[in-house]
Amino acid sequence: MSTSGPRSARTFKALTARRDWAPSEKRRIVSEMALPGTNISALARRHGVAQSQLYQWRKMFAGDTAPAAVPRFLAVTVASASPEPPVRRSEPESPMVSSRIEIVLRDGRVVRVDADVDGGKLAAIIAALEAKA
């Protein structure tokens, strides 16, 4: 097959904007991602990389970061209220003898009053609280 015009062998040099990041630089940037309140988009722009690149680096160094820096979900179970009131241990607020009285109701609620409270009024309050339970 013939071609028209002169043929020449030209050498082209490709220009690239690709940067070769040192592992220490990658780790430093990934550690910035773990800081509270970090805007990943702004971090990527500041360092001149794509957000997806930061996430790839984070995966690459996943074993290198401190476990506390990465948020994790924990399993939680909600227990139903038990019919028995919880055992409560209270320490005196000061080395002096406390003048407070703590009364644990059947449903586990706690009433705290000073020792000089009127007994009749206290009995009425407790009766009203027990009636609501």
Side-chain angles (χ1 to χ4, degrees):
M1 184 178 225
S2 66
T3 60
S4 62
R7 292 182 139 205
S8 66
R10 292 184 186 167
T11 305
F12 293 96
K13 182 176 180 182
L15 297 177
T16 178
R18 192 174 195 156
R19 180 173 170 183
D20 190 22
W21 294 87
S24 61
E25 290 177 300
K26 293 177 185 179
R27 280 189 189 92
R28 183 181 51 78
I29 296 170
V30 167
S31 68
E32 287 182 47
M33 290 176 71
L35 297 174
T38 300
N39 182 328
I40 304 300
S41 178
L43 180 68
R45 281 192 305 271
R46 188 169 59 243
H47 292 288
V49 297
Q51 288 183 40
S52 60
Q53 183 68 64
L54 294 179
Y55 291 114
Q56 288 175 356
W57 289 350
R58 185 171 66 180
K59 281 183 187 178
M60 184 171 54
F61 297 115
D64 295 350
T65 59
V70 179
R72 300 188 193 286
F73 288 101
L74 300 176
V76 176
T77 57
V78 178
S80 61
S82 65
E84 299 176 17
V87 177
R88 297 187 189 260
R89 296 180 183 168
S90 61
E91 297 288 328
E93 293 176 8
S94 67
M96 299 170 41
V97 176
S98 176
S99 63
R100 285 211 153 153
I101 300 171
E102 184 175 286
I103 303 165
V104 180
L105 303 176
R106 278 183 255 153
D107 62 358
R109 293 183 291 173
V110 178
V111 178
R112 292 181 187 96
V113 293
D114 288 329
D116 60 350
V117 70
D118 179 84
K121 289 181 181 177
L122 180 59
I125 292 170
I126 291 174
L129 289 172
E130 290 289 337
K132 287 188 176 184

